[in-house]
Amino acid sequence: MKILLIGSGGREHAIARKIAESPKCETIYCVPGNGGTAFEPKCKNIDIKINESSKIVDFCKQNLVDLVVVGPEEPLINGIVDICNAKGIKAFGPSKNAAMLEGSKTFSKEFMKKYGVKTAKYESFTDYSDALSYLEKSEFPIVIKADGLAAGKGVYICEDFNSAKIALEECMVNDVFKGAGKKVVIEEFLQGVEASILSITDGKTIIPFVSAKDHKQIFDGGKGPNTGGMGVVSPNPYVTQEVFNDFCKNIMGKTLEGIKEENFEYKGIIFFGVMITAKGCYLLEYNVRMGDPETQSVLSLMESDFLELIEASLDEKLNKTEVKWRNMYSCNVVLASSGYPGSFKKGLEIDIKEEAKSNVLIAGGVLENGILVTSGGRVLSVIGLGKTLEEARRVAYNNISNVNFEGKYFRNDIGL
């Protein structure tokens, strides 16, 4: 099979490497790919941007591509799956309508409410004055979310009225998210531990993947500003059988009911961002694609053929499919550029020793004149596997010494 994979991050490098394990896979065209996929034996980087839909379709037709796999949310929300399907090209991911579960916080919260998915109480606003008046009567802490896509940065946890007012101004007045924050969702703050549960659906069946735990803040101890994610452990030690059962009954099952009732065309990944509280599991958000850096950890534990799993979703055969997992733990430590999530240098040479290459997945790195250099804030993930979480941590952190670039920064407490 010839596969076209859209995206250029660590998630896409992980997906490419996993799909390449399948004996069915001949070639993976990475659009545009990165410095990691450039070195994968079955991969070819193609210089097309992720939202150039017509170019993607033309390339698929010219190169007899069998399947399109979409990594990031933006092309999904822009309807790339619908566009491919209309041209007779198989594509893995939700339709444009279904992708609104991530594309609009208000849409997703209304969906949750309609189908009884357990989530935090909320109100949505398009008028700054109305939102401010609501905050004046609210209890703190409180959460403010930009309604649209904000590259993972549109969520504010506000401890008091002043910080909430600043967050509102950034979203609605100063428009820091370029339109995505003109509408906001204000919701109650939930105290607990977060969990990420990815799953695959064909619109009739959902199969959950092994759970994961992301570490969002830049500094050890969960301090400092939020990032795209500084590391992940999988499975998440807080997702006990009791928590998992609660999730399946009150979140995942009711989500599937909603997908069926709304007649969503959904053959793809659903990512559930969950908060585990003293009162049970609550859904924070949907993502309509795999998470980054969760994917790097979760796929490293998958024993099943991922390409066959994708085909089962497209053929609506997930009810006859079992996903197999290694009986191990995965620890993923993200190495970032010094200064991230603020300003940072790019173009710094990355040196990865041969013995560590199979444990490294590139995120913000590109090939320039045959040399791998940094191109983003989160540069790469170093993965460790082990029979225990402690062993997985040890393997990951031992491997970090085999990876170097100027000013590399990482948290020391991933999985502690």
Side-chain angles (χ1 to χ4, degrees), residues 85-287:
N85 288 341
K87 298 290 184 180
I89 301 161
K90 281 188 179 181
F92 179 66
S95 66
K96 186 174 184 176
N97 284 348
M100 284 299 287
L101 287 171
E102 180 169 1
S104 165
K105 297 286 192 300
T106 303
F107 180 92
S108 68
K109 292 294 280 191
E110 286 172 355
F111 175 93
M112 293 173 208
K113 188 176 181 180
K114 184 175 179 181
Y115 294 104
V117 177
K118 203 167 164 188
T119 190
K121 292 176 194 153
Y122 75 98
E123 294 289 342
S124 57
F125 298 91
T126 53
D127 183 84
Y128 172 75
S129 300
D130 290 347
L132 199 61
S133 298
Y134 180 80
L135 286 175
E136 285 168 350
K137 304 169 204 153
S138 298
E139 290 182 12
F140 291 87
I142 205 163
V143 182
I144 297 175
K145 296 178 177 179
D147 179 72
L149 291 184
K153 297 182 175 70
V155 178
Y156 300 82
I157 297 170
C158 307
E159 298 293 336
D160 51 40
F161 176 77
N162 284 338
S163 59
K165 186 181 177 186
I166 290 166
L168 266 194
E169 285 174 354
E170 286 193 4
C171 287
M172 304 184 87
V173 180
N174 301 333
D175 195 21
V176 296
F177 300 116
K178 298 186 171 105
K182 285 291 187 180
K183 187 176 191 178
V184 297
V185 170
I186 302 178
E187 64 181 35
E188 70 171 317
F189 174 77
L190 297 173
Q191 186 70 50
V193 179
E194 285 193 47
S196 304
I197 304 179
L198 291 97
S199 67
I200 188 167
T201 187
D202 57 12
K204 296 177 179 178
T205 302
I206 295 185
I207 301 176
F209 290 174
V210 65
S211 62
K213 181 170 185 357
D214 193 7
H215 298 66
K216 282 285 184 197
Q217 283 82 12
I218 187 70
F219 300 127
D220 287 3
K223 296 191 169 106
N226 268 349
T227 70
M230 290 302 295
V232 168
V233 293
S234 183
N236 185 327
Y238 294 95
V239 179
T240 61
Q241 191 60 49
E242 183 184 1
V243 167
F244 183 71
N245 292 344
D246 182 14
F247 161 77
C248 288
K249 180 183 175 186
N250 293 307
I251 295 173
M252 189 178 77
K254 291 183 177 179
T255 297
L256 182 59
E257 282 175 33
I259 287 170
K260 289 176 179 176
E261 283 294 319
E262 298 290 330
N263 290 315
F264 284 154
E265 185 66 24
Y266 204 134
K267 294 177 170 68
I269 298 292
I270 304 183
F271 172 118
F272 298 91
V274 173
M275 183 69 82
I276 304 163
T277 77
K279 295 179 183 176
C281 261
Y282 287 78
L283 183 63
L284 297 174
E285 64 177 1
Y286 294 111
N287 289 339

Side-chain angles (χ1 to χ4, degrees), residues 42-107:
K42 292 184 181 180
C43 292
K44 294 179 182 176
N45 285 359
I46 306 298
D47 188 19
I48 300 174
K49 293 184 173 66
I50 64 169
N51 282 317
E52 292 182 321
S53 304
S54 58
K55 286 186 181 180
I56 289 170
V57 166
D58 289 345
F59 183 90
C60 288
K61 290 287 190 186
Q62 289 160 13
N63 293 275
L64 304 177
V65 166
D66 299 289
L67 169 66
V68 173
V69 177
V70 190
E73 62 275 21
E74 199 178 334
L76 291 168
I77 289 157
N78 290 339
I80 185 64
V81 170
D82 310 61
I83 293 163
C84 286
N85 288 341
K87 298 290 184 180
I89 301 161
K90 281 188 179 181
F92 179 66
S95 66
K96 186 174 184 176
N97 284 348
M100 284 299 287
L101 287 171
E102 180 169 1
S104 165
K105 297 286 192 300
T106 303
F107 180 92

